[in-house]
Amino acid sequence: MNQAALFKVLFFLVLLAYPFIVYFGIQTFPPSLIGVLLLFLLAMRFGILRPEERRVQLPFLLILVAYALLATWLGNEKFLLFYPVVVNLVLFAVFMISLRSEESILLRLVRARGVKMSVYGPFYLNRLTRVWSGFFLLNAAVAGWTITQPLEIWTLYNGLIAYLLVALLVGAEWLFRIQYKKRKGV
């Protein structure tokens, strides 16, 4: 595994652990330190993006950087719990706004990676963008609800259940895509 791939894996592992970092971190460290860690993670994220992906993902990252700066400045542990809500709402907005343009966000990402697709690809990716939009909105609502619950509930949902739901949606989409391609003869 080359250094860039190792860096990506490390980044995603730390990002996945964010709820646990918050859970254990706020019991030991000042909340502003966790905000600084979040800023570091976002800088790492920008660093591992391919140049063609940066144009698409930069607005999203800038919003998250603004949130992380505010979280660091405020130094409020409760404010750190809003990160999953902010991420999901920003993703919802990005996905929904992209549906008003010529290309949905998923279509832009697929094309940025140079993936060849059939004539059915743009329609399929448009529909998939709608599905993900609904998921992000629902996930933001549940993540928001968890803020009102004990920290253990927040950590369980945002550190495990939400990821399992993403995996379930990805798996279901993958199975559906196989059937869709067979039906369309692709």
Side-chain angles (χ1 to χ4, degrees):
M1 182 180 289
N2 65 25
Q3 190 175 5
L6 184 62
F7 193 64
K8 282 183 180 184
V9 168
L10 176 64
F11 164 76
F12 284 111
L13 289 175
V14 173
L15 189 62
L16 288 174
Y18 177 79
F20 299 100
I21 292 168
V22 170
Y23 178 77
F24 293 110
I26 62 177
Q27 297 174 26
T28 311
F29 304 107
S32 57
L33 185 60
I34 298 168
V36 169
L37 174 65
L38 185 54
L39 283 167
F40 178 72
L41 286 173
L42 293 170
M44 282 178 63
R45 175 67 181 142
F46 183 77
I48 64 173
L49 288 174
R50 292 186 216 148
E52 61 272 12
E53 294 174 320
R54 286 183 179 160
R55 182 182 62 83
V56 176
Q57 294 189 25
L58 186 61
F60 172 65
L61 281 172
L62 289 175
I63 291 169
L64 294 179
V65 164
Y67 168 81
L69 284 169
L70 189 58
T72 302
W73 181 62
L74 291 175
N76 182 322
E77 69 183 51
K78 202 72 158 167
F79 196 77
L80 291 170
L81 303 181
F82 279 93
Y83 181 73
V85 177
V86 172
V87 168
N88 280 283
L89 287 177
V90 169
L91 286 170
F92 168 74
V94 167
F95 275 55
M96 285 303 290
I97 289 168
S98 79
L99 289 169
R100 293 185 177 180
S101 66
E102 288 183 25
E103 295 182 341
S104 69
I105 188 75
L106 293 179
L107 181 57
R108 277 185 261 166
L109 289 171
V110 166
R111 286 193 171 148
R113 292 188 173 178
V115 176
K116 292 181 182 181
M117 69 180 97
S118 75
V119 68
Y120 302 107
F123 175 77
Y124 182 84
L125 290 169
N126 186 289
R127 285 292 183 99
L128 186 57
T129 299
R130 292 177 192 278
V131 169
W132 277 105
S133 296
F135 173 81
F136 292 134
L137 186 60
L138 182 60
N139 201 39
V142 176
W145 169 80
T146 63
I147 293 169
T148 66
Q149 302 304 305
L151 188 56
E152 292 79 11
I153 299 294
W154 179 88
T155 306
L156 176 65
Y157 181 78
N158 294 292
L160 178 64
I161 296 172
Y163 295 131
L164 292 174
L165 292 173
V166 167
L168 181 65
L169 184 54
V170 167
E173 186 276 327
W174 179 72
L175 291 172
F176 179 81
R177 186 175 354 127
I178 291 170
Q179 294 303 314
Y180 184 81
K181 284 181 173 183
K182 282 181 184 175
R183 273 194 324 233
K184 297 295 183 182
V186 177

